[in-house]
Amino acid sequence: MPEVRVASPADLDARQCWRRANVARGKVPGAQRFERVGAKLADPAALVVVAIESPGVVGMAQAEPGRVDGGALDPGLCHVSMVFVDPDRWGRGIGGQLLDAVAEAARARGHQRLQLWTGAANERALRLYHRNGFRETGRTHHLATGEPIVQLTRNIRCDRRH
């Protein structure tokens, strides 16, 4: 099993793992998106968790302070914006480890719940989130591409899953 921990500055090239996972999903990212992800991972307000296994980062999750409908900060909310695992390691429980590590670190920062949005048709992601304590809120939106997305939340105030 990999070591899962809050990222250090040396780990912040986790975007290579992000890129490999996206390519495996058939969503090849362009150079601008790759750079934006690098900026999100380096943001001082970001909570970045990595899974490390030889030869390096095999999974990563990024979260940030949550906002009420994209506006004012909600101090109890932590928004999970990325969870990716190297495709060679899919199905090994690394995604769940990353989510639990995000929950633990977010709770230590004073957050009470996690939220995220994912594609309504992304069955792999939905299975992961449901297995790891997330529940759909009933809120939906559509991306600019027309793809429907759904919101999920997880209460972490008293969350001691493991």
Side-chain angles (χ1 to χ4, degrees), residues 49-133:
V49 174
V50 292
I52 307 290
E53 192 172 67
S54 183
V57 175
V58 296
M60 56 79 64
Q62 189 268 352
E64 55 205 41
R67 297 182 177 276
V68 177
D69 293 325
L73 286 175
D74 178 345
L77 183 64
C78 183
H79 176 74
V80 179
S81 65
M82 290 186 265
V83 179
F84 289 94
V85 174
D86 188 287
D88 290 341
R89 289 171 173 85
W90 285 354
R92 296 185 187 179
I94 296 171
Q97 289 179 284
L98 290 165
L99 290 168
D100 285 342
V102 166
E104 184 178 321
R107 190 175 32 257
R109 291 182 176 190
H111 299 293
Q112 299 174 1
R113 65 195 182 288
L114 301 176
Q115 79 164 8
L116 58 83
W117 291 85
T118 194
N122 190 343
E123 294 178 14
R124 176 182 287 279
L126 287 168
R127 282 192 309 271
L128 168 68
Y129 299 138
H130 289 150
R131 269 194 319 266
N132 287 278

